């Protein structure tokens, strides 16, 4: 079953003309390739990488948002002082947004990884549960009712995003 | 399909190490109760034919294992080329269960008891 297609390219390329693309034989992966793939199979590595990416995204978004809305006061400060003040505001906002997004990415990725490993199946329930856990922990400060609302909202959001990406592959 | 072989190969790297050991000293289909892998009286041709039978048995086992675990674990819609993490853990569990049961059945058959 696995060895049939490796015998095929010899017969196929000898009788074909130049229009047919050449079929490469199946190449077994080396042990280093398998080990490199195994690194990404680890939940901790995946969630940390996700957290870092979320942090980067949060930085960009915080910089953008911080640049958009800040009061420009011509009377009280000179130009250079205004620039420094604006830069500080942008930095603060982007740092807080970076932290929020990093935590969100980390929790979501860790939850999805753990749930999927435990269930040993890949379907939409994993993203829903992971979204619920993330939304719940992020809005847990507002009390149980806010946690439930956050859970439902973020779960719906992540399911929609997952379906959106699924349609395009 | 390609990647399934990859991952099944990962799970069976330990199994392929065992093939060399078991060709010499397996008791499931070799002669009974011989601690010395090549006792006096077995000619070279007999040893070769034993090794060949053993190899055929192992290849059959691997093919059946790959087919069973693929049909059980991998979703047939084939949405992406890589194996998901859920598929990976499913394949791990499937292969370890299959291997364990295979070992038990082999031991029972070689000990002469009827299989249950």
């Amino acid at each position: 079953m696995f060895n049939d297609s490796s015998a095929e390219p010899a017969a196929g390329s000898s009788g074909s003309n130049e229009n047919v693309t050449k079929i490469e034989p199946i190449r077994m992966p080396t042990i280093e390739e398998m080990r490199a793939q195994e690194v990404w199979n680890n939940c901790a590595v995946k969630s940390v990488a996700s957290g870092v990416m979320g942090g980067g995204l949060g930085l960009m978004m915080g910089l953008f948002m911080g640049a958009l809305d800040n009061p420009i006061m011509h009377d009280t400060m000179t130009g250079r002082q205004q620039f420094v003040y604006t830069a500080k505001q942008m930095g603060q906002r982007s740092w807080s947004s970076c932290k929020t997004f990093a935590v969100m990415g980390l929790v979501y990725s860790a939850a999805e990884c753990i749930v999927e490993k435990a269930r040993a199946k890949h379907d939409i329930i994993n993203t829903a549960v992971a979204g619920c856990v993330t939304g719940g922990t992020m809005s847990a400060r507002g009390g149980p009712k806010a946690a439930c609302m956050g859970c439902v909202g973020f779960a719906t959001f992540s399911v929609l995003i997952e379906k959106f990406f699924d349609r395009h592959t | 399909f390609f990647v399934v072989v990859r991952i099944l190969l990962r799970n069976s790297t330990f199994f392929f190490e065992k093939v060399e050991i078991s060709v010499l000293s397996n008791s499931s289909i070799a002669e009974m109760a011989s601690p010395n892998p090549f006792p006096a009286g077995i000619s070279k041709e007999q040893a070769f034919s034993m090794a060949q039978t053993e190899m055929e048995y192992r290849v059959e086992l691997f093919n059946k294992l790959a087919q069973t675990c693929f049909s059980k674990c991998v979703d047939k819609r084939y949405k992406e080329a890589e194996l998901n993490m859920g598929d990976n853990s499913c394949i791990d569990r499937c292969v370890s269960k299959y291997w364990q049961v295979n070992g038990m059945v082999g031991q029972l058959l070689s000990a002469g008891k009827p299989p249950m």
Side-chain angles (χ1 to χ4, degrees):
Chain A
M1 174 176 145
F2 298 132
N3 294 329
D4 295 338
S5 34
S6 61
E8 211 184 333
S13 53
S14 62
S16 64
N17 49 7
E18 284 79 21
N19 293 340
V20 179
T21 58
K22 191 172 187 311
I23 302 174
E24 301 292 324
I26 290 182
R27 188 184 52 86
M28 284 295 165
T30 63
I31 196 79
E32 290 88 15
E33 280 180 27
M34 286 202 276
R35 287 217 186 97
Q37 279 178 356
E38 283 298 304
V39 166
W40 287 106
N41 213 14
N42 191 5
C43 267
V45 168
K46 222 176 190 182
S47 59
V48 164
S50 225
V52 165
M53 285 200 306
L57 176 73
L59 262 178
M60 291 294 131
M61 194 172 295
L63 273 174
F64 188 62
M65 295 299 186
L68 279 183
D69 50 1
N70 49 0
I72 298 182
M73 299 172 281
H74 289 286
D75 300 335
T76 54
M77 290 192 255
T78 66
R80 186 185 160 81
Q81 276 181 331
Q82 267 185 21
F83 182 72
V84 165
Y85 176 72
T86 310
K88 273 196 193 151
Q89 286 288 90
M90 274 174 62
Q92 273 181 351
R93 185 165 306 197
S94 74
W95 177 242
S96 83
S97 156
C98 162
K99 279 192 296 189
T100 309
F101 273 84
V103 163
M104 190 163 78
L106 191 114
V107 170
Y108 179 79
S109 175
E112 187 179 24
C113 175
I114 290 175
V115 163
E116 181 154 353
K117 271 205 171 169
R119 286 186 73 229
K121 254 180 98 154
H122 179 81
D123 50 12
I124 203 75
I125 301 181
N126 302 333
T127 63
V129 169
C132 178
V133 166
T134 307
T137 58
M138 284 190 27
S139 47
R141 258 182 226 162
K145 189 157 184 237
C148 284
M149 302 288 291
C151 159
V152 168
F154 205 84
T156 319
F157 169 69
S158 59
V159 162
L160 284 175
I161 293 286
E162 188 77 20
K163 286 216 190 281
F164 174 73
F165 276 121
D166 253 355
R167 201 164 293 154
H168 281 246
T169 52
Chain B
F1 160 78
F2 197 54
V3 185
V4 170
V5 172
R6 227 184 264 182
I7 291 294
L8 286 179
L9 204 60
R10 168 193 80 175
N11 284 326
S12 54
T13 46
F14 71 92
F15 145 72
F16 271 123
E17 284 158 18
K18 281 185 190 168
V19 167
E20 282 89 51
I21 302 172
S22 63
V23 164
L24 295 179
S25 60
N26 190 24
S27 65
S28 69
I29 64 167
E31 303 298 323
M32 300 282 185
S34 60
N36 183 4
F38 290 114
I42 288 193
S43 65
K44 235 184 181 177
E45 292 87 20
Q46 274 181 319
F48 275 147
S49 75
M50 267 166 58
Q52 186 176 351
T53 317
E54 179 78 19
M55 194 63 197
E56 282 173 7
Y57 162 68
R58 293 287 163 177
V59 166
E60 178 71 24
L61 167 70
F62 182 70
N63 281 337
K64 280 216 176 107
L65 163 70
Q67 263 179 342
T68 307
C69 289
F70 183 77
S71 67
K72 276 184 194 279
C73 280
V74 175
D75 192 13
K76 292 293 178 296
R77 282 179 299 169
Y78 299 147
K79 287 226 162 169
E80 53 181 8
E82 299 291 325
L83 284 177
N84 305 313
M85 209 157 16
D87 294 344
N88 277 346
S89 67
C90 179
I91 288 175
D92 281 345
R93 294 176 189 178
C94 174
V95 169
S96 86
K97 281 182 195 171
Y98 199 101
W99 188 254
Q100 194 178 1
V101 169
N102 189 59
M104 288 200 304
V105 170
Q107 275 183 346
L108 285 175
L109 284 177
S110 73
K113 298 193 184 107
M116 292 179 221

